[in-house]
Amino acid sequence: MAEELVVPPELRRNILITTVDKLYNWARRSSLWPLTFGLACCAIEMIAASASRYDIARFGAEVFRASPRQADLMIVAGTVTHKMAPQVLRLYHQMPEPKYVIAMGSCAISGGIFNSYAVLQGVDEIIPVDVYVPGCPPRPEALLDALIKLQKKIDRQSILSVPWYRREKA
Amino acid sequence: MSEEVLQLLKEKFPEAVVEIPEGTKDPTAVIRRENIREVALFLRDEIGFNYLSFMAGVDYPERFEVVYYLYSMGREPQRSNLGPLALKVYVEDKANPSLPTVSDIWPSAFQQEQEIYDMFGITFEGHPDLRRIFMWEGFPGWPLRKDFENRTFTFQELEPTRPKPPYW
Amino acid sequence: MAVALKTQEIVLNMGPQHPSTHGVFRMVLTLEGETIVDLKPVYGYLHRGIEKLSEGRSYLQAVPITDRLDYMCALTNEFAYAVAVEKLADIKPPERAEYIRVILAEFTRILNHMMAIGFLFNDLGAYFTPVLYAFRAREHILDLFEWVSGSRMMPNYIRPGGVAGDLPEGFIPKAKKLVDHLWKFADELDTFLSENEIFLQRARGVGVLPPDVAIAYGVTGPVLRASGVKYDVRRAEPYSIYDRFDFEIPTLPNGDVYDRYMLRLLEWKQSLRILEQALEQIPDGPVSEKVPRRLRPPKGEVYGRIEAPKGELGFYLVSDGSDKPYRFKIRPTSFVNLGVLREITVGHKVADVVIILGSIDITMGEVDR
């Protein structure tokens, strides 16, 4: 802070001083709602991450929405095939801003073990990805680690420079 | 038990059975492609092979083969012992391969024939709804043939081959 | 005075992304009001080209690929593949390896039935609570798998010739304790779910599958046995050491959704019986035959099948004498079971489609391969 703001002692417990950025980001990162988008084997580990042993509800992400219009995090869990790729793109465009993407598992990062005619080699050919989680399948703790890293990334964003509040077209 | 069935087949349809190969692990009979339907009806109704486990296509350099594995699943315990019987059909014409369908004799062949059409390009005459189920109409090539090399495609390469809306 | 309503059929797409389609499965329904007139399934959204991929890999390298077919029960896929390769190359695995395989396969069967019941109730609308119960017990079983093989879900442990390594110290007592816990858990689920009024009203008489239709469509597994046909590959064509154990094959007469749920619970208890016997009788000894890394089986073709938790799973292998398979065909359980979906859904309402699909218990990794 540039200058010290002096708060009278009787009000010390009632007044909180912070920046708009911190408040805005804290609200956004503590309640990320994922989209139910499990495609293949990694979907089972994603459900295990939201079950009782590795609880994802501690991080605010327990409400898995089925409709993309109500979600703001898309966890691409599983192999994206060429037949499914246009649907992934369509779902990504249906999500409203601010939106984030976690690519979970080797198949979503780069096609994984399946270098064949029918598999898209990495979901970042069609949509921009924020966090990559390697593993086949990654343990539920790895998915929670990815969520924490995404939360730290959200903390670093500033309301002055986020893409959805700009005046120019993206 | 299945060896007796092979002998019975050879006696009843002498011109349909092309050969009975020696030394195979499961009892096998090679049937001519025109007679596959009457042999199938005989096996299902007279002998009791009512369970078609699967159909597979194989691509050899000189011909295609379609393999049918039949079992018997009866309510009485002794009928369940009719073990595997493998029927093979050689499809010599590699440019326009086709076979009569058995999907009205064993309904489990309905989806399996669609899959063989999708992967190999073998058409089945008389099939009510023959379409590509795993890839889409317009995908370049028949994937499981040996001359289709296993390469990876990018999204942009396959974009022009996709069906345009309204599609289903 | 009756007024005739003019109705029109609409086409509804239960698309690949839907919370209740058990993976990426698309159904195009033709509806007349809420009643279904026609159903067309669309596959292929998870088609990964596994059969073509395995033709370029050796027999041992194809084991991790078979893990990813039916990803909920990976160990039984490997078991089926090992049975097929051993039939082709005439290898007989040692006794201890057979017992280890049976123990892990029966744990996998219990795991699958638990998850199937949990997801069926998820579809019914009991949002997520039965899934949480099932996943709590699943974590105990996965702890055992991780202890034995190093990985929770894709163990890559059962190989042609035996298993990859020996059981760790202290595995048998811990497994016995888990078996006791699973008996109590089965009774707990039975008390909660079997007499539930809402479940009975929604599931009795829905999706009835007559036995002749089931046999004609090639359906196997719990769906077939719930229609009254007593067919199990473990008794019809015994593989491994299943002829030494004393267990029953339960069947139920009706063939609706309730019977399929009840049958999975009964099969779970039979698996626990097999597990108790196997954990008593397991001998000492080597755990694998000496199989070369580049296995070259003789020329020929073979079909080896087992009773996977969802039905009959088999591999049709054609070998031309080299170290890579010439044709690697998978006989998929869920794909053949799904052929019957149209027959049993026509005439029901939209809400019933969801639970009928849940009761057939499919995994799209196996349907599309």
Side-chain angles (χ1 to χ4, degrees), chain B residues 24-26 28 50-61 65 67 69 71-75 80-81 83-84 88 105-112 114-116 118-120 129 131 133-135 142-150 167-168, chain C residues 26 28 40-45 47 49 51-53 55 87-90 211-212 215-220 224 228-231 235-237 298 301-303 305 312 315-316 318 325-327 329-332 335-340 367-369:
Chain B
T24 49
K25 298 231 158 49
D26 303 312
T28 318
N50 52 0
Y51 168 44
L52 172 71
S53 184
F54 68 96
M55 288 169 55
V58 194
D59 181 11
Y60 288 108
E65 269 184 27
V67 183
Y69 260 76
Y71 290 85
S72 151
M73 203 196 277
R75 307 228 198 147
S80 298
N81 283 337
K88 277 201 201 188
I105 305 177
W106 291 295
S108 64
F110 186 84
Q111 284 188 315
Q112 313 253 12
Q114 283 179 329
E115 182 197 341
I116 296 183
D118 189 4
M119 293 282 121
F120 285 93
D129 183 19
R131 56 191 165 89
I133 53 173
F134 288 145
M135 310 312 291
W142 308 104
L144 274 177
R145 290 197 184 179
K146 289 288 178 184
D147 47 9
F148 184 95
E149 57 147 331
N150 192 13
Y167 59 85
W168 102 263
Chain C
R26 177 175 162 206
V28 180
K40 265 201 175 123
V42 183
Y43 306 107
Y45 289 100
H47 176 70
E51 299 187 353
K52 184 91 183 176
L53 262 185
E55 288 176 9
K87 199 169 163 186
L88 184 63
D90 283 322
D212 330 309
I215 299 178
Y217 273 87
V219 173
T220 50
L224 178 72
V229 181
K230 197 167 182 148
Y231 188 78
R235 284 280 153 83
E237 194 178 323
E301 53 227 21
V302 80
Y303 175 55
R305 60 181 187 154
E312 169 186 329
F315 284 84
Y316 174 69
V318 176
Y326 188 79
R327 174 79 170 102
K329 156 90 185 158
I330 305 161
R331 190 262 185 214
F335 183 57
V336 182
N337 282 2
L338 266 188
V340 84
V367 173
D368 287 338
R369 280 159 281 141

Side-chain angles (χ1 to χ4, degrees), chain B residues 17-149:
Chain B
V17 178
V18 170
E19 59 163 341
I20 297 198
E22 297 286 314
T24 49
K25 298 231 158 49
D26 303 312
T28 318
V30 182
I31 309 286
R32 207 174 295 280
R33 68 178 278 276
E34 292 82 19
N35 306 83
I36 184 71
R37 285 185 62 91
E38 50 178 3
V39 173
L41 276 168
F42 169 70
L43 284 173
R44 186 189 71 164
D45 296 327
E46 312 278 328
I47 307 198
F49 278 110
N50 52 0
Y51 168 44
L52 172 71
S53 184
F54 68 96
M55 288 169 55
V58 194
D59 181 11
Y60 288 108
E62 67 273 6
R63 57 172 193 253
F64 285 120
E65 269 184 27
V66 176
V67 183
Y68 304 71
Y69 260 76
L70 301 169
Y71 290 85
S72 151
M73 203 196 277
R75 307 228 198 147
E76 327 88 83
Q78 63 269 20
R79 278 303 199 93
S80 298
N81 283 337
L82 276 184
L85 175 67
L87 293 180
K88 277 201 201 188
V89 180
Y90 293 162
V91 183
E92 306 284 343
D93 184 4
K94 275 198 120 172
N96 274 338
S98 82
L99 266 193
T101 180
V102 291
S103 57
D104 46 345
I105 305 177
W106 291 295
S108 64
F110 186 84
Q111 284 188 315
Q112 313 253 12
E113 291 183 347
Q114 283 179 329
E115 182 197 341
I116 296 183
Y117 168 64
D118 189 4
M119 293 282 121
F120 285 93
I122 303 178
T123 50
F124 288 88
E125 303 147 5
H127 194 274
D129 183 19
L130 197 66
R131 56 191 165 89
R132 299 192 74 157
I133 53 173
F134 288 145
M135 310 312 291
W136 55 91
E137 307 281 347
F139 182 78
W142 308 104
L144 274 177
R145 290 197 184 179
K146 289 288 178 184
D147 47 9
F148 184 95
E149 57 147 331

